[in-house]
Amino acid sequence: MQLKYQQVEQFLLYQLKNGEFKAGDKFYSEAELKKRFEVSSATVIKAINELVSKGLLVRHQGKGTFVSRARNGQVVKIFDRERNNDADEKVKVLSIDKEHDPRILKELGLATGDSYYHIMRLRQANDIPVQLQHTYLVADYFNLKALDNPSYYDSLYERIRDDSGIDLFSTKIDETTNIIFPVPTAESQLLQLDSAQQPAAFIHRHSYLFDNTVIEYVESYKRWDYFELEVKTI
C-alpha cells in the first residue's frame, strides 16, 4: 500500500512527464496541493522534496517551486499493425478476481500475502475473437466499482487514467513476444482457434510507474493470422 505522499508524488510525476508543465514553469504551491489532495502540509512537502531530489523540481527562496530546466523526457510508442484496420472492434471483460498467486506476485514485485486483481478481457474484430488478455493490476490502482460492473474496465487504460491520472499508454514498459505452440486449452477455445496445431502470439509485459515499481503485469494471446508486428524508432 502506497503512503499518501507517494500517491501525491506519483500523480505529480505523471503531470511532469506527460507535458502538463514545461521546463522553467512555476509549479503548484503547497497551498494548492493541500487543497487539491486534501492532505497535510507535511504530506505535500514530503512529495515535493522527493521530486526535488530526483532533479525534476527546483525551489527558489521567496519565489516558489519551479520545473527544472535540466530534466530530460522521452516518448515511447509501441503498437501492433493490424491486417484489418476497418474491423468493427469491441472488448468484453470476461472475469475479475482478487488473487495472490506467488508467480504473479513475483512479477508485480509484491510480497507474500499481498493481493492483486486479475482482469481477463476478450477483444473481438467483426465478432471474431482476436486477443485474450490477462491483466494483473496492483490493488492500489483497482476501482472496486468494477466488481459490480465488470464492463467498467472494457477500456482499461482509459479508466486507470481517469481514476489515477496515470497514462499507461506512455509509461515505461518491457515487453516480449513469442510464438506459442500449442496454445493452452482454455485460451485456444476462447480464441476459437481452428485446431490444436494453430499457433498464437504470446506477449508478456510489465508497465512501470516513474519510481520503477510495477503497476501491471500482462499476459496476452493473439491470433497470429490477424496481427503483424511493426517496429519503428521515433
Side-chain angles (χ1 to χ4, degrees), residues 96-129:
I96 298 178
D97 297 290
K98 189 175 185 180
E99 299 175 346
H100 50 270
D101 184 332
R103 180 179 74 87
I104 303 300
L105 289 174
K106 183 177 179 180
E107 296 286 355
L108 291 169
L110 298 176
T112 302
D114 286 341
S115 298
Y116 56 85
Y117 284 91
H118 175 191
I119 305 167
M120 184 165 62
R121 303 187 307 152
L122 183 67
R123 180 182 173 197
Q124 294 178 305
N126 294 336
D127 295 322
I128 298 173

Side-chain angles (χ1 to χ4, degrees), residues 33-167:
L33 293 176
K34 282 176 57 181
K35 182 178 180 180
R36 179 164 189 163
F37 294 102
E38 299 181 349
V39 295
S40 66
S41 295
T43 296
V44 168
I45 291 171
K46 177 67 173 174
I48 290 177
N49 285 344
E50 290 294 318
L51 297 177
V52 170
S53 69
K54 291 178 170 68
L56 296 172
L57 297 177
V58 293
R59 279 180 152 172
H60 297 297
Q61 187 68 33
K63 295 183 179 180
T65 304
F66 295 81
V67 180
S68 173
R69 295 184 183 276
R71 68 192 184 96
N72 296 317
Q74 185 178 9
V75 177
V76 177
K77 292 183 179 180
I78 298 176
F79 55 93
D80 292 305
R81 181 178 176 180
E82 299 178 3
R83 295 183 178 179
N84 186 356
N85 292 324
D86 297 326
D88 179 22
E89 294 191 352
K90 57 186 177 183
V91 176
K92 181 179 181 181
V93 177
L94 301 181
S95 63
I96 298 178
D97 297 290
K98 189 175 185 180
E99 299 175 346
H100 50 270
D101 184 332
R103 180 179 74 87
I104 303 300
L105 289 174
K106 183 177 179 180
E107 296 286 355
L108 291 169
L110 298 176
T112 302
D114 286 341
S115 298
Y116 56 85
Y117 284 91
H118 175 191
I119 305 167
M120 184 165 62
R121 303 187 307 152
L122 183 67
R123 180 182 173 197
Q124 294 178 305
N126 294 336
D127 295 322
I128 298 173
V130 295
Q131 180 180 6
L132 180 68
Q133 186 176 71
H134 299 274
T135 297
Y136 304 99
L137 183 66
V138 172
D140 287 349
Y141 300 95
F142 180 81
N143 193 320
L144 293 176
K145 68 174 61 175
L147 295 177
D148 296 322
N149 179 25
S151 63
Y152 183 82
Y153 279 132
D154 283 353
S155 182
L156 181 61
Y157 280 14
E158 290 183 6
R159 285 300 190 182
I160 291 175
R161 181 173 57 196
D162 292 343
D163 291 341
S164 306
I166 297 172
D167 186 359

Side-chain angles (χ1 to χ4, degrees), residues 2 6-21 47 50-51 53-56 71-76 138 141 160-161 164-173 206-216:
Q2 284 191 319
Q6 292 173 319
Q7 296 175 15
V8 175
E9 178 192 359
Q10 201 63 235
F11 178 83
L12 297 178
L13 272 170
Y14 276 92
Q15 290 208 316
L16 288 168
K17 293 292 186 179
N18 291 328
E20 296 292 331
F21 293 88
E50 290 294 318
L51 297 177
S53 69
K54 291 178 170 68
L56 296 172
R71 68 192 184 96
N72 296 317
Q74 185 178 9
V75 177
V76 177
V138 172
Y141 300 95
I160 291 175
R161 181 173 57 196
S164 306
I166 297 172
D167 186 359
L168 290 182
F169 290 107
S170 60
T171 55
K172 174 184 174 184
I173 69 167
H206 302 84
S207 298
Y208 297 90
L209 300 172
F210 283 109
D211 60 0
N212 288 322
T213 58
V214 180
I215 181 174
E216 66 160 0

